[in-house]
């Protein structure tokens, strides 16, 4: 089984508006102080308050002692472990299922990374809301978000919506035939939820697209937003581009040959294109509109153009007719009423995500390029 998304890198950097790219304290001063002092990071011992003897046996000894009642959630199970964090399933006081990621290391640098991550993910919702109700609905349907971040006894933790557990690389080829078009439509809609707000995911490998195979059709979500960038800064490696991911995983879902799509080679991809489009026409009776939109996406992917043409695919009749009703699975209460906010309210909420004490390492602004250096003089 793959390692869940929420365990992988500690810092998932997300783009921040260029207007906030410089610290009022000066990058040179921060860098100089960083050379004199390193972040305070210590390995955690067994000092945390546990649920009780024998109640947590994760199979990962380093994770057995990290869960704490002080997180404010009810433990329900172990999700997995990575190099830097342990992840647990839990239940909030209102009964919502969540994932709690707990760092294996103490330190303000880690805490800042996660506070930045939380605020940046909230910016996804705010930017979607500014685009309109439809974009907000897409974000809440396909992108889990941060619910809380903090520390207990100097040990950072981050709480997220609990995403489905079945990676597409493991279950994509087993999706029931009757559900395959719906899963494909969700894949396109999920990617468009980012592209519609001017961002690309850039890391939609087989573990970062997940499905709930207990539902019919299986519900899809995108996870791990560590490589998100603006559209103009999208990955130049073809196999990491979002358009390539749609091509690759659609081939798996539909039962077409996906081997050549993995190759970061324009000639091989051009050779694979007609066979892929013919497969869709045969298996799904794909119309000219869908094939034309997919062909445009594939050409852009092969040529590595800045425009990845996901919008054209999303707006096809095929995708719209096969897209299940959108549900606000990953609703963030901080965006409630955002369509009616006045200019001052927008500025207040946006500033909260970017600047407030919740998202600072002491007095250092969160938008510095290197949060570890930013925290180095504030251990």
């Amino acid at each position: 089984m793959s390692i869940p998304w929420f365990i992988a890198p500690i810092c998932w950097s997300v783009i921040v508006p260029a207007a906030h790219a410089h610290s009022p304290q000066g990058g040179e001063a921060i860098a100089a102080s960083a050379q004199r002092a390193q972040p305070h990071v210590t390995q955690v011992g067994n000092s945390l308050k546990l649920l009780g003897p024998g109640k947590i046996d994760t199979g990962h000894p380093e994770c057995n002692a990290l869960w704490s009642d002080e997180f404010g959630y009810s433990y329900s199970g172990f999700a997995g472990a990575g190099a830097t964090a342990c992840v647990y399933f839990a239940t909030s006081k209102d009964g919502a299922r969540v994932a709690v990621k707990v760092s294996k290391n103490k330190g303000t640098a880690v805490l800042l990374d996660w506070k930045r991550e939380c605020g940046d993910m909230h910016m996804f919702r705010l930017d979607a809301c500014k685009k309109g109700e439809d974009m907000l609905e897409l974000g809440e349907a396909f992108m889990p978000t941060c619910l809380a971040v903090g520390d207990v006894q100097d040990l950072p933790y981050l709480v997220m919506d609990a995403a489905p557990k079945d990676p597409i690389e493991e279950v994509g080829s087993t999706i029931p035939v009757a559900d395959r078009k719906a899963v494909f439509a969700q894949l396109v809609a999920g990617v468009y939820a980012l592209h519609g707000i001017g961002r690309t995911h850039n890391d939609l490998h087989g573990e970062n697209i997940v499905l709930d195979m207990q539902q019919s059709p299986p519900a899809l979500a995108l996870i791990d937003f560590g490589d998100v960038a603006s559209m103009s800064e999208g990955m130049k490696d073809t196999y990491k581009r979002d358009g390539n991911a749609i091509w690759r995983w659609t081939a798996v879902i539909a039962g077409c040959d996906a081997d050549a799509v993995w190759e970061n080679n324009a000639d091989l991809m051009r050779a694979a294109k007609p066979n892929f489009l013919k497969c869709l026409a045969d298996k799904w009776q794909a119309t000219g509109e869908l094939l034309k939109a997919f062909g445009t996406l594939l050409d852009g992917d092969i040529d590595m153009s800045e425009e990845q043409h996901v919008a054209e695919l999303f707006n096809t009749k095929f995708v719209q007719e096969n897209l299940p009703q959108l549900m606000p699975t990953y609703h963030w209460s901080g965006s409630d009423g955002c369509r009616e906010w006045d200019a001052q309210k927008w500025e207040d909420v946006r500033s909260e995500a970017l600047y407030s004490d919740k998202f600072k390492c002491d007095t250092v602004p969160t938008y510095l390029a290197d949060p570890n250096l930013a925290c180095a003089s504030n251990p």
Side-chain angles (χ1 to χ4, degrees):
M1 188 70 178
S2 327
I3 294 175
W5 64 273
F6 28 64
I7 303 172
I10 274 207
C11 179
W12 301 331
S13 58
V14 183
I15 62 168
V16 180
H20 309 304
H22 300 288
S23 164
Q25 298 184 16
E28 295 84 3
I30 293 297
S33 65
Q35 293 176 354
R36 296 191 298 269
Q38 294 302 312
H40 174 67
V41 178
T42 57
Q43 192 68 28
V44 176
N46 295 328
S47 60
L48 289 183
K49 177 182 177 185
L50 301 181
L51 287 176
K55 287 195 176 182
I56 299 182
D57 182 6
T58 65
H60 294 265
E62 75 278 16
C63 296
N64 293 345
L66 294 188
W67 178 265
S68 171
D69 289 335
E70 296 178 49
F71 296 141
Y73 297 85
S74 299
Y75 175 85
S76 60
F78 180 65
T84 60
C86 300
V87 181
Y88 312 85
F89 290 123
T91 305
S92 66
K93 292 178 181 178
D94 61 3
R97 184 170 173 267
V98 299
V100 182
K101 180 170 68 169
V102 183
S103 174
K104 295 180 181 180
N105 298 307
K106 296 182 179 181
T108 51
V110 176
L111 180 60
L112 175 61
D113 283 347
W114 290 7
K115 287 183 175 180
R116 285 185 53 160
E117 175 188 333
C118 192
D120 286 337
M121 294 187 75
H122 292 166
M123 291 301 298
F124 289 164
R125 293 291 188 270
L126 299 180
D127 289 346
C129 185
K130 282 213 166 186
K131 289 286 187 177
E133 193 65 35
D134 290 345
M135 288 306 306
L136 187 60
E137 288 181 355
L138 285 171
E140 293 188 341
F142 298 110
M143 294 191 295
T145 196
C146 175
L147 304 175
V149 64
D151 63 318
V152 170
Q153 299 181 31
D154 296 326
L155 187 67
Y157 69 92
L158 185 147
V159 184
M160 298 284 297
D161 296 306
K165 298 186 293 183
D166 303 316
I168 196 169
E169 70 177 7
E170 295 186 10
V171 301
S173 62
T174 69
I175 296 168
V177 173
D179 292 334
R180 291 179 182 178
K181 294 178 183 178
V183 172
F184 159 71
Q186 290 180 81
L187 173 61
V188 175
V191 175
Y192 181 66
L194 276 171
H195 285 221
I197 58 173
R199 291 168 169 85
T200 60
H201 187 285
N202 296 314
D203 198 22
L204 290 174
H205 57 68
E207 296 176 6
N208 285 342
I209 303 169
V210 289
L211 299 167
D212 183 351
M213 295 298 287
Q214 301 304 309
Q215 296 188 38
S216 181
L220 179 145
L222 307 183
I223 57 178
D224 193 348
F225 303 99
D227 287 328
V228 169
S230 67
M231 293 295 294
S232 62
E233 297 172 347
M235 289 292 183
K236 295 303 182 184
D237 287 333
T238 306
Y239 73 94
K240 294 201 74 173
R241 289 166 55 89
D242 295 355
N244 187 261
I246 292 177
W247 180 359
R248 178 167 71 249
W249 297 116
T250 299
V252 171
I253 294 166
C256 303
D257 179 12
D259 291 342
V261 186
W262 280 93
E263 300 291 341
N264 194 14
N265 182 295
D267 291 335
L268 291 176
M269 294 169 71
R270 286 192 186 91
K273 174 186 170 182
N275 294 331
F276 170 74
L277 295 178
K278 183 178 185 303
C279 181
L280 285 188
D282 293 343
K283 289 182 176 291
W284 286 354
Q285 294 74 53
T287 65
E289 181 193 28
L290 179 68
L291 297 179
K292 180 180 178 181
F294 232 130
T296 300
L297 180 144
L298 302 187
D299 288 339
D301 196 39
I302 294 168
D303 296 335
M304 294 190 290
S305 65
E306 179 178 320
E307 175 55 61
Q308 298 193 39
H309 304 289
V310 174
E312 292 96 318
L313 192 58
F314 173 74
N315 287 317
T316 61
K317 182 178 180 182
F318 187 95
V319 169
Q320 294 299 315
E321 288 184 346
N322 286 285
L323 186 63
Q325 181 179 357
L326 299 181
M327 303 298 293
T329 307
Y330 307 114
H331 175 69
W332 174 50
S333 61
S335 64
D336 287 343
C338 59
R339 298 294 297 155
E340 288 75 43
W341 291 347
D342 59 21
Q344 185 58 54
K345 176 67 173 179
W346 268 106
E347 182 60 29
D348 290 346
V349 177
R350 186 178 179 85
S351 295
E352 175 76 4
L354 290 176
Y355 306 116
S356 80
D357 289 341
K358 291 182 180 179
F359 303 101
K360 284 183 181 179
C361 177
D362 294 338
T363 61
V364 180
T366 64
Y367 47 81
L368 284 176
D370 189 339
N372 293 297
L373 292 182
C375 280
S377 59
N378 300 288

